[in-house]
Amino acid sequence: MKNTKTVLHVLLIAGSMLCSLVTTAQCTKITVSGEGDVVTLQFDKNEKLIAITGLDEDEGSKSIKFITGPSGLPLPVKQKGVKWDDNGDGSFIITMNEGDEDADRNSMFKISKEGKIINWDLAGEESFKTTKYVYDKNGDLALMKWEGTMYDTKVTDKGELTATFNTAKPDVIMKGGPMLFLVTTRWLMLPMTNSHLITGFSYKQTIHVPERKIELDEKGPDKQPLFKIEPEKNLINNITRSFSYTWDEYGRIESVTVTGKGTNKKFKFTYSDCK
């Protein structure tokens, strides 16, 4: 089951969650680059997120503007494929459509009044996947749990993720805004909305493939197709990631390096329009 990956999708979720910056209060722009992508966060003089501009290798540049929503959190300006609704209790729903020639997927994110993703439903023409999020007293992810089904094949996907954090270091990208995880999807792999710097995570994924009847290329003596039965099976993925940081002379994040089996990626942070 595919995760959403376009920069539009990633930019949209990351942006609604940032209310304030801690170590970057005097800078109105933060740029994150790596893995062929460049994403710039733009803030007003009151440190409110007003725009995210991203560069996608395949689709070119994209820009998303934000307004202050009823709950005080930055919400995307409504546009084609993007909308949000106030639930009346401080929480709200962000809905995004990701369509192309091969697929038509819709993501619906339920966001708490604190700006945390608490539910993510991803629906396509032939699949559905729901992910639930639980947070600890520090506002960091305690548990992410998902379950999904491919309707045509009956293949199911489920798993759980846990993470560790440096509670002495606020996450300047994620803190306070539900859509800002879009900026970090490249290194986090899955959407998260945390209050502190993530130091690592691990998850176990189980993909269940039911018994299948497969037609062979050859035919029998009666000229009828031959088949074989492939028994049901479980595919198990155990994934771990570690995150290490460097800091500039002002104590701001300068880079983050992501390591794990088969992975070694580095992303750089730059700050501009600083007082």
Side-chain angles (χ1 to χ4, degrees), residues 21-68:
L21 298 175
V22 177
T23 59
T24 58
Q26 295 181 328
C27 301
T28 60
K29 286 185 181 180
I30 304 176
T31 299
V32 185
S33 58
E35 292 294 297
D37 291 335
V38 179
V39 178
T40 298
L41 310 176
Q42 177 74 52
F43 305 89
D44 64 16
K45 63 180 180 180
N46 296 316
E47 302 172 10
K48 291 284 188 178
L49 182 71
I50 56 177
I52 302 179
T53 301
L55 180 62
D56 187 290
E57 289 182 293
D58 299 320
E59 301 181 31
S61 61
K62 293 181 180 295
S63 181
I64 300 170
K65 295 181 179 180
F66 295 86
I67 60 173
T68 300

Coordinates of all heavy atoms in Angstrom, one line a residue, residues 21-68:
L21 N 8.0 29.4 16.5 CA 9.4 28.9 16.4 C 10.1 29.2 17.7 O 9.9 30.2 18.3 CB 10.1 29.5 15.2 CG 9.5 29.2 13.9 CD1 10.2 29.9 12.8 CD2 9.5 27.7 13.6
V22 N 11.0 28.3 18.1 CA 11.7 28.5 19.3 C 13.1 29.1 19.1 O 13.5 30.2 19.5 CB 11.8 27.3 20.2 CG1 12.6 27.5 21.5 CG2 10.4 26.8 20.5
T23 N 13.9 28.3 18.3 CA 15.3 28.7 18.1 C 15.4 29.6 16.9 O 16.5 30.0 16.5 CB 16.2 27.5 18.0 OG1 15.7 26.7 16.9 CG2 16.2 26.6 19.3
T24 N 14.4 29.8 16.1 CA 14.5 30.6 14.9 C 13.6 31.8 14.9 O 13.2 32.2 13.8 CB 14.1 29.6 13.7 OG1 12.8 29.2 13.9 CG2 15.0 28.5 13.6
A25 N 13.3 32.3 16.0 CA 12.3 33.4 16.2 C 12.6 34.6 15.4 O 11.8 35.4 15.1 CB 12.1 33.7 17.6
Q26 N 13.9 34.9 15.1 CA 14.3 36.1 14.4 C 14.4 35.9 12.9 O 14.8 36.8 12.2 CB 15.7 36.6 15.0 CG 15.5 37.0 16.4 CD 16.8 37.5 17.0 OE1 17.9 37.1 16.6 NE2 16.8 38.5 17.9
C27 N 14.1 34.7 12.4 CA 14.2 34.4 10.9 C 12.8 34.1 10.4 O 12.1 33.4 11.0 CB 15.1 33.3 10.7 SG 16.8 33.5 11.3
T28 N 12.5 34.7 9.2 CA 11.2 34.5 8.6 C 11.2 33.4 7.5 O 10.2 33.1 7.0 CB 10.6 35.8 8.0 OG1 11.5 36.3 7.0 CG2 10.5 36.9 9.1
K29 N 12.4 32.9 7.2 CA 12.5 31.8 6.2 C 13.4 30.7 6.8 O 14.4 30.9 7.3 CB 13.1 32.3 4.9 CG 12.1 33.2 4.1 CD 12.8 33.5 2.8 CE 11.8 34.4 1.9 NZ 12.5 34.7 0.6
I30 N 12.9 29.4 6.6 CA 13.7 28.3 6.8 C 13.7 27.4 5.6 O 12.6 27.1 5.0 CB 13.2 27.4 8.0 CG1 13.1 28.3 9.3 CG2 14.1 26.2 8.2 CD1 12.5 27.5 10.4
T31 N 14.8 27.0 5.1 CA 14.9 26.2 3.9 C 15.5 24.9 4.2 O 16.6 24.8 4.9 CB 15.7 26.9 2.8 OG1 15.1 28.1 2.4 CG2 15.8 26.0 1.5
V32 N 14.9 23.8 3.8 CA 15.4 22.4 4.0 C 15.6 21.8 2.7 O 14.8 21.8 1.8 CB 14.3 21.6 4.8 CG1 14.9 20.2 5.1 CG2 13.8 22.3 6.0
S33 N 16.9 21.3 2.5 CA 17.2 20.7 1.2 C 17.9 19.3 1.4 O 18.5 19.1 2.4 CB 18.2 21.6 0.5 OG 19.3 21.9 1.2
G34 N 17.7 18.5 0.4 CA 18.2 17.1 0.5 C 17.4 16.2 -0.4 O 16.3 16.4 -0.7
E35 N 18.1 15.1 -0.9 CA 17.4 14.1 -1.7 C 16.8 14.7 -2.9 O 15.7 14.3 -3.4 CB 16.4 13.4 -0.9 CG 17.0 12.5 0.2 CD 17.8 11.3 -0.4 OE1 17.2 10.5 -1.0 OE2 19.0 11.3 -0.1
G36 N 17.4 15.8 -3.5 CA 16.8 16.4 -4.7 C 15.7 17.4 -4.5 O 15.2 18.0 -5.4
D37 N 15.3 17.6 -3.2 CA 14.2 18.5 -2.9 C 14.6 19.7 -2.2 O 15.6 19.7 -1.4 CB 13.1 17.8 -2.0 CG 12.4 16.7 -2.8 OD1 12.3 16.8 -4.0 OD2 11.9 15.8 -2.1
V38 N 13.9 20.8 -2.4 CA 14.2 22.0 -1.6 C 12.8 22.6 -1.2 O 11.9 22.8 -2.0 CB 14.9 23.1 -2.5 CG1 15.1 24.4 -1.6 CG2 16.2 22.6 -3.0
V39 N 12.6 22.7 0.1 CA 11.4 23.2 0.7 C 11.7 24.5 1.5 O 12.6 24.4 2.4 CB 10.7 22.2 1.5 CG1 9.4 22.7 2.1 CG2 10.4 20.9 0.7
T40 N 10.9 25.6 1.3 CA 11.1 26.8 2.1 C 9.9 27.1 2.8 O 8.8 27.1 2.3 CB 11.5 28.0 1.2 OG1 12.7 27.7 0.5 CG2 11.7 29.2 2.0
L41 N 10.0 27.4 4.1 CA 8.9 27.8 5.0 C 9.0 29.3 5.2 O 10.1 29.8 5.5 CB 9.0 27.1 6.4 CG 9.2 25.6 6.4 CD1 9.4 25.1 7.8 CD2 8.0 24.9 5.7
Q42 N 7.9 30.0 5.0 CA 7.9 31.5 5.1 C 6.9 31.9 6.2 O 5.8 31.4 6.3 CB 7.3 32.1 3.8 CG 7.2 33.6 3.8 CD 8.5 34.3 3.7 OE1 9.3 34.0 2.8 NE2 8.8 35.2 4.7
F43 N 7.4 32.8 7.1 CA 6.6 33.2 8.3 C 6.5 34.7 8.2 O 7.3 35.4 7.6 CB 7.3 32.8 9.6 CG 7.6 31.3 9.7 CD1 8.8 30.8 9.2 CD2 6.7 30.5 10.2 CE1 9.1 29.5 9.2 CE2 7.0 29.1 10.3 CZ 8.2 28.6 9.8
D44 N 5.4 35.2 8.9 CA 5.2 36.7 9.0 C 5.9 37.2 10.2 O 6.6 36.4 10.9 CB 3.7 37.0 9.0 CG 3.0 36.5 10.3 OD1 3.7 36.1 11.2 OD2 1.7 36.5 10.2
K45 N 5.8 38.5 10.5 CA 6.6 39.1 11.6 C 6.1 38.6 13.0 O 6.8 38.7 14.0 CB 6.4 40.6 11.5 CG 5.0 41.1 11.7 CD 5.0 42.6 11.6 CE 3.6 43.2 11.8 NZ 3.6 44.7 11.7
N46 N 4.9 37.9 13.0 CA 4.4 37.4 14.2 C 4.7 35.9 14.3 O 4.1 35.2 15.2 CB 2.9 37.6 14.4 CG 2.6 39.1 14.4 OD1 3.2 39.8 15.2 ND2 1.6 39.5 13.7
E47 N 5.6 35.4 13.4 CA 6.0 34.0 13.5 C 4.9 33.0 13.0 O 5.0 31.8 13.3 CB 6.6 33.6 14.8 CG 7.7 34.5 15.3 CD 8.2 34.2 16.7 OE1 7.7 33.2 17.3 OE2 8.9 35.0 17.2
K48 N 3.9 33.5 12.3 CA 2.9 32.6 11.8 C 3.3 32.1 10.4 O 3.8 32.9 9.6 CB 1.5 33.4 11.7 CG 0.9 33.7 13.0 CD 0.3 32.5 13.7 CE -0.6 32.9 14.9 NZ -1.2 31.7 15.5
L49 N 3.0 30.8 10.2 CA 3.3 30.3 8.9 C 2.4 30.9 7.8 O 1.2 30.9 8.0 CB 3.2 28.8 8.9 CG 3.5 28.0 7.6 CD1 5.0 28.0 7.3 CD2 3.0 26.6 7.6
I50 N 3.0 31.4 6.7 CA 2.1 32.0 5.7 C 2.3 31.3 4.3 O 1.4 31.5 3.5 CB 2.4 33.5 5.5 CG1 3.9 33.8 5.2 CG2 2.0 34.3 6.8 CD1 4.2 35.3 5.0
A51 N 3.4 30.5 4.1 CA 3.6 29.9 2.9 C 4.6 28.8 3.0 O 5.6 28.9 3.8 CB 3.9 30.8 1.8
I52 N 4.4 27.8 2.1 CA 5.5 26.7 1.9 C 5.7 26.6 0.4 O 4.7 26.5 -0.3 CB 5.1 25.4 2.5 CG1 4.8 25.4 4.0 CG2 6.2 24.4 2.3 CD1 4.3 24.1 4.6
T53 N 6.9 26.7 0.0 CA 7.3 26.5 -1.4 C 8.2 25.3 -1.5 O 9.2 25.2 -0.8 CB 8.0 27.8 -1.9 OG1 7.1 28.9 -1.8 CG2 8.3 27.6 -3.4
G54 N 7.9 24.4 -2.4 CA 8.7 23.2 -2.5 C 9.0 23.0 -4.0 O 8.4 23.4 -4.9
L55 N 10.1 22.3 -4.2 CA 10.6 21.9 -5.5 C 10.5 20.4 -5.6 O 11.2 19.7 -4.9 CB 12.0 22.4 -5.7 CG 12.6 22.1 -7.1 CD1 11.8 22.8 -8.2 CD2 14.1 22.6 -7.2
D56 N 9.7 20.0 -6.6 CA 9.6 18.6 -6.8 C 10.3 18.2 -8.1 O 10.2 18.9 -9.1 CB 8.1 18.2 -7.0 CG 7.8 16.7 -7.1 OD1 8.2 16.2 -8.2 OD2 7.3 16.1 -6.2
E57 N 11.2 17.2 -8.1 CA 12.0 16.8 -9.2 C 11.2 16.5 -10.4 O 11.6 16.8 -11.6 CB 12.9 15.6 -8.9 CG 14.0 15.9 -7.9 CD 14.8 14.7 -7.6 OE1 14.3 13.8 -7.0 OE2 16.0 14.8 -8.0
D58 N 10.0 15.9 -10.2 CA 9.1 15.5 -11.4 C 8.1 16.6 -11.8 O 7.9 16.8 -13.0 CB 8.4 14.2 -11.0 CG 9.3 13.1 -10.7 OD1 10.3 13.0 -11.4 OD2 9.0 12.3 -9.8
E59 N 7.6 17.3 -10.8 CA 6.5 18.2 -11.1 C 6.9 19.7 -11.1 O 6.0 20.6 -11.3 CB 5.3 18.0 -10.2 CG 4.8 16.5 -10.3 CD 3.6 16.3 -9.4 OE1 2.9 17.2 -9.1 OE2 3.5 15.2 -8.9
G60 N 8.1 20.0 -10.7 CA 8.5 21.4 -10.6 C 8.1 22.1 -9.3 O 7.8 21.4 -8.3
S61 N 8.1 23.4 -9.3 CA 7.8 24.1 -8.0 C 6.4 24.2 -7.7 O 5.5 24.2 -8.5 CB 8.4 25.5 -8.1 OG 7.7 26.3 -9.1
K62 N 6.1 24.2 -6.4 CA 4.7 24.3 -5.9 C 4.7 25.3 -4.7 O 5.7 25.3 -4.0 CB 4.2 22.9 -5.4 CG 4.0 21.9 -6.5 CD 3.4 20.6 -5.9 CE 3.2 19.6 -7.0 NZ 2.2 20.0 -8.0
S63 N 3.7 26.0 -4.6 CA 3.6 26.9 -3.5 C 2.2 26.8 -2.8 O 1.2 26.8 -3.5 CB 3.8 28.4 -4.0 OG 3.7 29.3 -2.9
I64 N 2.2 26.8 -1.5 CA 0.9 26.7 -0.7 C 0.9 27.8 0.3 O 1.8 28.0 1.0 CB 0.8 25.3 0.0 CG1 0.9 24.2 -1.0 CG2 -0.5 25.3 0.8 CD1 1.0 22.9 -0.4
K65 N -0.2 28.6 0.2 CA -0.4 29.7 1.2 C -1.3 29.3 2.3 O -2.2 28.4 2.2 CB -0.9 30.9 0.4 CG 0.0 31.5 -0.6 CD -0.5 32.7 -1.3 CE 0.5 33.3 -2.3 NZ -0.1 34.5 -3.0
F66 N -1.1 30.0 3.5 CA -1.9 29.6 4.6 C -2.6 30.8 5.2 O -2.2 32.0 5.1 CB -1.0 29.0 5.7 CG -0.4 27.7 5.3 CD1 0.8 27.7 4.5 CD2 -1.0 26.5 5.6 CE1 1.3 26.5 4.1 CE2 -0.5 25.3 5.2 CZ 0.7 25.3 4.4
I67 N -3.7 30.6 5.9 CA -4.4 31.6 6.7 C -4.5 31.1 8.1 O -4.3 29.9 8.4 CB -5.8 31.8 6.1 CG1 -6.7 30.5 6.2 CG2 -5.7 32.4 4.7 CD1 -8.1 30.7 5.8
T68 N -4.9 32.0 9.0 CA -5.1 31.5 10.4 C -6.5 31.0 10.6 O -7.5 31.8 10.3 CB -4.8 32.7 11.4 OG1 -3.5 33.1 11.2 CG2 -5.0 32.2 12.8

